[in-house]
Amino acid sequence: MIIPTSYYLLLSGILFSIGVVGVLTRRNAIVIFMSIELMLNAVNLTFVAFARQFQSLDGQIFVFFVMVVAAAEVAVGLALIVAIFRVKNSVYVDEINLMKW
Amino acid sequence: MLPAILFFVFASIAIASAIMMIVHRNPVYCALFLILTMFSLGGHYVLLNAPFIAAIHIIVYAGAIITLFLFVIMLLDITGGNSGEKVKGWSQFVGLLLSGILFVELAVFFKSGFDAPPSSSAAFQGNTEAIGMLLFTKYLFPFEVASVLLLSAIIGSVILAKLKLK
């Protein structure tokens, strides 16, 4: 039995929505980053599902590039969080309002 | 029959651990639940005939990215102490409402098509050889650009880490 592609799309939609809930409701900047990773992975799942649907490897190549961008984003983002923590002594996003005036 | 069972097992593990990652207060447990989600997504990639993607997914996420998260969490020591992650009630409500609307939109869109099972799944193999061939011929320029992106990310993190902060 072959799983229909729409099942994978539905699963990916659920995971993406959970990631959105995490970004909108959490205060900890590190957990917000993890939720962004979850959303990127939900999109990767749709890429791989469509690669199977259309019998083409291009979707898997795109997953490769999304992983590259995610790795770069996490490295720079965590460096930013550490730098902010050194100044503000906090990682909670509502206490970091340097640019608000 | 077996792929269907595996699909539902992996899907339920992924959704349950993603929800636990969102609601758990301790960031270390959040990272560990994220690893669980990544492993079940790797299982999905294997089911979708993409073994190479599954392998690099596990290696990159569980091996590198989550490890980096755990390093930073333990470096900053934010797990104990002020557990005052108190979220305002209305902001939580608005977040749940907006993402619920988003999910309904996605579900309606995804329900509208793509129900036909893919044709001739046996001919399609997402193996390493074919991906490498594509990566070094058709996608050679984006591959090189990705290496430049990684280099700039390394330089950016080092500069941010060595910055003299007042």
Side-chain angles (χ1 to χ4, degrees), chain A residues 3 6 8-9 11 14 17-18 21-22 25-28 37 41 44 55 57-58 60 70 85-86 92, chain B residues 22 24 38 44-45 50 53 57 61 76 84-87 99 103 110 115 120 124 130-131 138-139 161 163:
Chain A
I3 318 277
S6 56
Y8 284 104
L9 298 182
L11 172 65
I14 292 171
S17 307
I18 293 172
V21 174
T25 58
R26 290 301 294 257
R27 287 176 59 223
N28 194 328
E37 289 302 309
N41 276 287
N44 277 353
Q55 300 290 308
L57 278 176
D58 296 333
Q60 299 191 11
F85 187 82
R86 282 163 62 195
Y92 294 113
Chain B
I22 294 305
H24 210 286
M38 296 305 170
H44 281 302
Y45 294 154
I53 294 296
H57 180 263
Y61 277 100
L76 299 188
E85 174 138 357
K86 196 185 293 174
V87 182
S99 49
F103 173 67
F110 289 157
D115 272 328
S120 72
F124 171 68
I131 288 181
K138 189 178 171 188
Y139 291 98
L163 209 58

Side-chain angles (χ1 to χ4, degrees), chain B residues 75-97:
Chain B
L75 205 62
L76 299 188
D77 189 24
I78 49 170
T79 58
N82 64 344
S83 59
E85 174 138 357
K86 196 185 293 174
V87 182
K88 294 189 187 73
W90 60 267
S91 99
Q92 208 160 19
F93 174 72
V94 170
L96 280 174
L97 184 72

Side-chain angles (χ1 to χ4, degrees), chain B residues 28-84:
Chain B
V28 176
Y29 285 97
C30 293
L32 296 180
F33 279 119
L34 188 57
I35 290 184
L36 201 55
T37 313
M38 296 305 170
F39 271 112
S40 49
L41 280 177
H44 281 302
Y45 294 154
V46 173
L47 285 179
L48 282 167
N49 292 333
F52 175 68
I53 294 296
I56 64 168
H57 180 263
I58 299 291
I59 292 170
V60 168
Y61 277 100
I65 292 184
I66 310 288
T67 313
L68 201 60
F69 272 115
L70 286 173
F71 264 124
V72 171
I73 290 168
M74 292 172 185
L75 205 62
L76 299 188
D77 189 24
I78 49 170
T79 58
N82 64 344
S83 59

